[in-house]
Amino acid sequence: MAAYVIFIRDEMKDQTAYDEYLRLAVPTLAPFGGEILAANGAHAALEGPDFDGSVVLRFPDMASARGWYDSQEYQPFKTIRLGATVGRAVLVEGLN
């Protein structure tokens, strides 16, 4: 079943660093079958507090998503993101 990594950004602390993160991190998705479905476009908080931005990634399955998130390839870029933003990340299994 497909799996989704959802990033919810509550605060942007360093746009320049975040832009560098995107440039470096996006290529790490392909070996794990990851693809970007949504990235920081228009949004509306229907419940709970508003947020600054969001990214939705799709992977073939939970193991692939976790493999990417924990991979040695992604770790240095994850550190950049964590320094540039304040937010949350969740892993969700899809229905198909």
Side-chain angles (χ1 to χ4, degrees):
M1 289 188 209
Y4 301 87
V5 175
I6 304 166
F7 294 99
I8 298 174
R9 186 180 66 235
D10 295 314
E11 177 187 347
M12 176 66 74
K13 298 186 330 188
D14 185 338
Q15 182 69 54
T16 301
Y18 183 75
D19 292 343
E20 182 72 355
Y21 158 77
L22 290 176
R23 186 181 73 76
L24 296 169
V26 167
T28 68
L29 295 168
F32 297 89
E35 63 180 308
I36 301 169
L37 297 182
N40 299 311
H43 68 272
L46 300 177
E47 296 181 12
D50 199 6
F51 53 96
D52 184 57
S54 61
V55 174
V56 179
L57 307 176
R58 179 173 51 205
F59 290 87
D61 50 46
M62 294 284 278
S64 297
R66 177 62 80 171
W68 168 76
Y69 187 79
D70 293 336
S71 71
Q72 290 181 346
E73 295 82 4
Y74 179 62
Q75 293 314 297
F77 311 132
K78 177 179 152 185
T79 301
I80 296 170
R81 179 181 53 79
L82 292 173
T85 64
V86 174
R88 295 156 278 155
V90 297
L91 175 56
V92 179
E93 186 173 53
L95 296 175
N96 52 14

